[in-house]
Amino acid sequence: MNNHLSTVVIIGAGASGMIAALTAAEDPDRKVILLERQQRVGRKLLATGNGRCNLTNLNAVAGTYYGMDKSFSDYALRRFTPEDTLRFFSSLGLLTVTEPSGRVYPLSDSANSVLDVLRYALDHAGVEQRCSSPVEELLLDKTRQGFLIRCPDDTFHADAVILACGGAAGSKLGGVMDGYRLGKALGHSRSSLHPSLTRIRTDPAIPRSLKGIRVQASLRLMYGNTLLASGEGEVQFTETGISGPAGFDLSRSVSMGPSGQQLHLCLLPYPDHTVRALLCARKENLPELNATELFTGMLHNRLGRILVKTAGIPADKSLSELTERELDNAVQACMNLTLPVLGVDGFDTAQVTAGGLLTSAVSPMTLESLIVPGLFACGEVLDVDGPCGGYNLQWAWASGALAGRLGA
Ligand SMILES: Cc1cc2nc3c(=O)[nH]c(=O)nc-3n(C[C@H](O)[C@H](O)[C@H](O)COP(=O)(O)OP(=O)(O)OC[C@H]3O[C@@H](n4cnc5c(N)ncnc54)[C@H](O)[C@@H]3O)c2cc1C
C-alpha cells in the first residue's frame, strides 16, 4: 500500500488501539487520530487483573492461542514477544514485576499506572484523541479514495483505518458488537461468538455451600466418556458454580461445547491409593472423632464436610464405624468430585470473546484486510483469544504494534 499516508484513523482506544496509534505515530508524516466511543481511553484496561492489570505473560508465545486458524496469530506474536512488551513499557517508564508463573504486573499493583504511561505517550506523540466519539459508519470514500468515518458530531477522512474496537466481552466496561458491524459493512464476516474466561455455572448444590473457598485442583471437562478439556490451578467456588483461573480457562470449552457436560474436580495432588491410606490412618488414629472430621487438616473444613456428605456418610457416625465402602466413596468424592455443568456466565462478565472477524480475510503478516486495502484490524475484534493470565493483553499489544506499522 501507499507509504505516504497522511491520515490514519484508529477506531477504539483500548489496549490494541493505543499501541497501534503509538506505532503509527512513529512516522512524523502521519496524522494519527484515535476515536473512542467512551468518555475516556482505556477504560477496560483499568479493570483488568482485578485492577492490577496482568499486562502480559512470559509464556504468551506463538502456539498458545485459539481461533479457527490457530496459527494466524503466530507471526504477530513472534514479532512482538512478551519481552518486547516489557521493553516497550519500560521505555514508557513503567516498572513491572514478573511472578514465578510468568504473569507480569505493574510494580505499583495498579492498572492506572499502565494506562497513565500510555496516555502520556499518546499525548507526547501528538496522537489526536477524540473521546465520546462512537464511530457509527465506516465507508469507502469513493471520491477522494480512502475511508469516511462517521461519528455523531463529526466525519473524518482517512487514508488508512485500523479497526481496534475490541470484542463483545466485558460489556459493562465497553465490550460492544461495533467492530463486527463496521467490519461487515466493508465485506468482513465473523465467526460465532462465545464468552470465554468467565464463571462456569454448575448444579449449585455443592458450590453454593462452599461459596468463597479457593482450592488448588485438577479439572476435567467431560461429555459422556469424551474428555473435552482439562487443566489445573486455582478454583473458587461461587453461588452458582466455579470461577478462578483454572475454571476460567475451561469456560471456553464449556461455552462452545454441547449441553450435558460434567466437570470433575480432583482436590488433592496424590494418587487415589495415597488418599485412601491417609483416610485409613485418620480412622485408626482418631477413631472417636465424628465422621465429618475425616478430611480435617487435609482440606478446608467446610469442603471436607461437604465431601463426607457427598460420599453418603451419615454425619453422626464416628470414624471407627466407617465401612470400607464408605472410605472408598470418600476417596471418590475427593478425587473425582462431579458437578453437572449448566453453562457459563454471559458476555457481561466474560473477560474475552472466543470468535471474531474471520482471519481468513486478513493478512497475518500485516493484519491488513485482504478485501479492502488500507483497512487493518487488531486485538480482540479478530478471531484470536488466549488463556487466562496476561495472554489476551499480549495479543492486544502484539497485534496493535503490527497493525500500527500499516504494512511497512
Ligand atoms: C474484567 C476484565 C479483566 C481482564 N483482565 C485481563 C488481564 O488481567 N490480562 C489480560 O491479558 N487480559 C485481560 N482481559 C482481556 C483484555 O482486557 C482484552 O482482551 C483486551 O483489552 C482487548 O484489547 P482490545 O484493544 O482489542 O479491546 P478493548 O480493550 O476492549 O478496546 C476496544 C475499545 O474500542 C472502543 N470502541 C468500540 N466500538 C467503538 C466505536 N464504534 N467507536 C469508537 N470506539 C469504539 C471501546 O469503547 C474500547 O475502548 C480482561 C478483560 C476484562 C473484561
Side-chain angles (χ1 to χ4, degrees):
M1 64 168 292
N2 177 5
N3 275 330
H4 302 285
L5 297 171
S6 50
T7 305
V8 183
V9 165
I10 294 144
I11 309 178
S16 69
M18 285 189 278
I19 194 168
L22 287 171
T23 312
E26 283 170 12
D27 181 340
D29 294 332
R30 267 183 207 137
K31 179 177 180 186
V32 180
I33 303 174
L34 183 56
L35 300 177
E36 169 55 49
R37 58 180 278 279
Q38 300 191 79
Q39 285 172 349
R40 54 178 305 179
V41 301
R43 181 152 174 246
K44 191 186 280 181
L45 200 55
L46 288 181
T48 57
N50 282 325
R52 291 175 66 208
C53 185
N54 178 193
L55 66 149
T56 187
N57 188 312
L58 296 189
N59 304 309
V61 294
T64 53
Y65 286 77
Y66 314 110
M68 213 177 280
D69 174 2
K70 286 191 174 48
S71 62
F72 174 82
S73 54
D74 288 0
Y75 181 81
L77 291 161
R78 287 206 180 98
R79 190 149 177 175
F80 198 91
T81 63
E83 287 74 17
D84 290 316
T85 299
L86 294 184
R87 268 190 290 277
F88 168 74
F89 278 103
S90 165
S91 77
L92 301 189
L94 184 78
L95 299 180
T96 56
V97 180
T98 303
E99 294 189 341
S101 62
R103 290 173 181 235
V104 178
Y105 292 90
L107 180 68
S108 66
D109 242 357
S110 165
N112 268 307
S113 301
V114 182
L115 182 55
D116 285 345
V117 296
L118 286 166
R119 283 194 302 113
Y120 296 145
L122 288 169
D123 291 343
H124 185 73
V127 173
E128 188 178 326
Q129 298 156 64
R130 299 278 195 104
C131 291
S132 304
S133 298
V135 173
E136 294 180 333
E137 255 188 311
L138 172 61
L139 311 161
L140 291 178
D141 186 340
K142 299 225 167 63
T143 52
R144 292 170 62 196
Q145 297 192 318
F147 301 87
L148 274 184
I149 301 107
R150 291 221 169 97
C151 296
D153 301 327
D154 225 334
T155 297
F156 301 84
H157 173 271
D159 302 286
V161 167
I162 302 177
L163 205 52
C165 295
S171 39
K172 286 181 186 150
L173 302 162
V176 283
M177 301 291 283
D178 290 24
Y180 314 121
R181 181 175 53 78
L182 296 173
K184 188 176 177 195
L186 291 182
H188 281 268
S189 314
R190 65 165 171 84
S191 62
S192 56
L193 307 175
H194 302 271
S196 182
L197 305 191
T198 188
R199 289 181 295 222
I200 298 178
R201 288 188 287 109
T202 67
D203 182 325
I206 291 179
R208 185 167 287 159
S209 44
L210 297 173
K211 190 178 162 186
I213 294 178
R214 293 165 196 266
V215 287
Q216 294 295 321
S218 305
L219 285 82
R220 285 178 304 127
L221 181 68
M222 304 290 296
Y223 179 64
N225 291 325
T226 309
L227 178 68
L228 298 179
S230 62
E232 55 185 38
E234 187 182 295
V235 169
Q236 186 177 352
F237 293 100
T238 71
E239 181 79 20
T240 54
I242 64 155
S243 74
F248 283 170
D249 276 337
L250 289 197
S251 63
R252 186 181 204 279
S253 303
V254 170
S255 167
M256 298 181 101
S259 55
Q261 302 168 38
Q262 292 201 314
L263 196 56
H264 298 260
L265 280 74
C266 173
L267 300 166
L268 283 172
Y270 308 118
D272 287 12
H273 63 85
T274 305
V275 175
R276 198 176 196 291
L278 288 170
L279 299 185
C280 287
R282 169 61 45 89
K283 175 182 165 176
E284 270 170 37
N285 297 337
L286 295 164
E288 70 284 3
L289 278 189
N290 196 286
T292 51
E293 306 297 334
L294 185 59
F295 287 98
T296 302
M298 300 180 207
L299 292 166
H300 190 290
N301 285 349
R302 204 154 23 114
L303 175 56
R305 284 197 287 275
I306 289 293
L307 294 181
V308 170
K309 189 176 168 192
T310 306
I313 300 172
D316 55 359
K317 261 195 165 180
S318 66
L319 288 184
S320 62
E321 294 170 318
L322 291 187
T323 64
E324 292 298 305
R325 177 79 176 268
E326 284 169 335
L327 284 171
D328 284 344
N329 289 348
V331 173
Q332 177 71 9
C334 172
M335 303 305 280
N336 194 15
L337 182 66
T338 304
L339 305 175
V341 173
L342 303 179
V344 294
D345 278 1
F347 280 116
D348 50 344
T349 53
Q351 288 190 12
V352 76
T353 315
L357 291 182
L358 295 183
T359 52
S360 52
V362 178
S363 159
M365 316 288 275
T366 58
L367 300 185
E368 186 171 12
S369 162
L370 299 173
I371 301 172
V372 184
L375 174 68
F376 296 78
C378 56
E380 200 179 310
V381 74
L382 288 167
D383 176 19
V384 175
D385 62 292
C388 189
Y391 288 73
N392 289 295
L393 281 175
Q394 178 57 28
W395 167 244
W397 310 130
S399 60
L402 182 58
R405 300 182 74 88
L406 299 165

